[in-house]
Amino acid sequence: MNFYPYNIICSAFAVFVYVTFRMGVNSYLRVHKNSKTFIRKNKKGYSNYWLYNKLHAEVGLGYIYTLNILLIVLTAVYLFSVVCLGWAEFFSIPIATCNAALCAVQIPAILFSDVYWNLEHYGKRFVMLEKNKSGGGFHSSFYAIIESVVLSVFAVYNIFLAV
């Protein structure tokens, strides 16, 4: 596969990972006994919604706050660079490097969101295979592990495509 279309697909996946991370943050807050109303009120405003400033001040999000900022910045830089500069071969190595850095941040985010999704919905950190309570299908923690492995393999493959 060509470098540019591959990275367009990866950038769409990066946005998906960020969305699931945000759902994981909501699950984290719910597991730690914060009401939906409290969460919604503390996410009002641009910086509070995207950066969780007020929630961080109220609850103390710790590494989650830093992980969120890194995900926002790296996802935006990667998405912008791929869409605007990805077609030029000159930028393939910087884009592949940005993808690898983003991957290094996405893997902990994927595992974090899976753990807290499981805790909120199933009451345990690791789920072998459970029926989804919210709809059809099944959920397993192996999905997050496989997603993390595939993501890191694609990041390495992307560097080989760039070189």
Side-chain angles (χ1 to χ4, degrees):
M1 182 182 269
N2 192 334
F3 182 81
Y4 184 61
Y6 167 74
N7 279 283
I8 292 289
I9 293 167
C10 284
S11 64
F13 184 74
V15 172
F16 171 74
V17 168
Y18 182 69
V19 169
T20 58
F21 172 74
R22 288 189 62 88
M23 293 187 322
V25 171
N26 283 342
S27 293
Y28 169 84
L29 292 167
R30 293 289 299 135
V31 165
H32 286 85
K33 308 294 184 218
N34 295 295
S35 69
K36 290 180 183 179
T37 305
F38 172 80
I39 296 168
R40 189 174 47 252
K41 284 181 180 178
N42 285 304
K43 287 190 343 186
K44 288 193 181 195
Y46 182 78
S47 67
N48 294 327
Y49 181 77
W50 291 105
L51 303 176
Y52 298 119
N53 286 335
K54 198 169 181 183
L55 278 167
H56 182 57
E58 293 279 332
V59 179
L61 295 175
Y63 73 94
I64 300 166
Y65 182 73
T66 307
L67 192 60
N68 179 55
I69 291 173
L70 287 172
L71 271 174
I72 288 173
V73 170
L74 288 173
T75 302
V77 167
Y78 179 64
L79 184 65
F80 175 79
S81 63
V82 166
V83 170
C84 295
L85 308 170
W87 53 269
E89 280 189 43
F90 176 75
F91 291 108
S92 61
I93 292 175
I95 289 172
T97 305
C98 184
N99 179 305
L102 179 61
C103 175
V105 175
Q106 284 178 329
I107 289 173
I110 290 167
L111 298 176
F112 163 83
S113 60
D114 185 64
V115 165
Y116 281 101
W117 174 268
N118 291 341
L119 282 172
E120 181 184 19
H121 292 91
Y122 304 108
K124 48 190 170 180
R125 290 181 173 279
F126 188 83
V127 174
M128 290 292 274
L129 189 64
E130 295 279 342
K131 185 160 177 53
N132 281 338
K133 294 179 180 179
S134 60
F138 292 91
H139 178 77
S140 174
S141 293
F142 289 115
Y143 297 156
I145 294 168
I146 291 168
E147 184 179 357
S148 299
V149 169
V150 168
L151 188 65
S152 58
V153 168
F154 281 159
V156 171
Y157 177 67
N158 195 27
I159 291 172
F160 283 120
L161 280 178
V163 176

